[in-house]
Amino acid sequence: MSELRVLPERLESDADSIERDLFRLVLTIVELLRQLMERQAIRRMDALDEMQAEALGTALMRLSDAMAELRERYGLSAEDLNLDLGPLGWLLDAP
């Protein structure tokens, strides 16, 4: 028989931790979308001319750099953005 866990009526938290956790969630979603866009771009590279491929690569590098800067600003690592989905594995690819 499994034991039920009871949550407290009120969670103790402060504005800073709520803001950080919310920002962590938003960055996780943005990182997931960035990884999906990167995979899609790699699949379609053959259809692009050299200039388009260069522009796409530059845009993806800038997005990656922006993500790193935002993680650093909030004291988060790439691993902090990954979510364990239990039997499905991890949400994000390893950085």
Side-chain angles (χ1 to χ4, degrees), residues 6-14 18:
V6 178
L7 293 175
E9 283 187 35
R10 185 178 177 121
L11 296 175
E12 296 297 325
S13 61
D14 57 66
I18 290 172

Side-chain angles (χ1 to χ4, degrees), residues 16-66:
D16 290 338
S17 68
I18 290 172
E19 180 182 351
R20 185 176 184 273
D21 290 344
L22 179 60
F23 197 74
R24 180 180 170 199
L25 176 61
V26 169
L27 279 183
T28 297
I29 293 167
V30 171
E31 179 61 18
L32 174 62
L33 292 173
R34 187 196 70 76
Q35 287 185 11
L36 292 173
M37 286 172 35
E38 190 174 82
R39 283 188 217 134
Q40 191 67 17
I42 290 170
R43 286 188 194 116
R44 295 182 178 199
M45 273 299 186
D46 294 338
L48 302 176
D49 64 33
E50 189 174 321
M51 230 165 92
Q52 290 172 322
E54 182 71 28
L56 181 59
T58 300
L60 290 172
M61 285 190 326
R62 285 183 182 161
L63 180 56
S64 182
D65 291 345

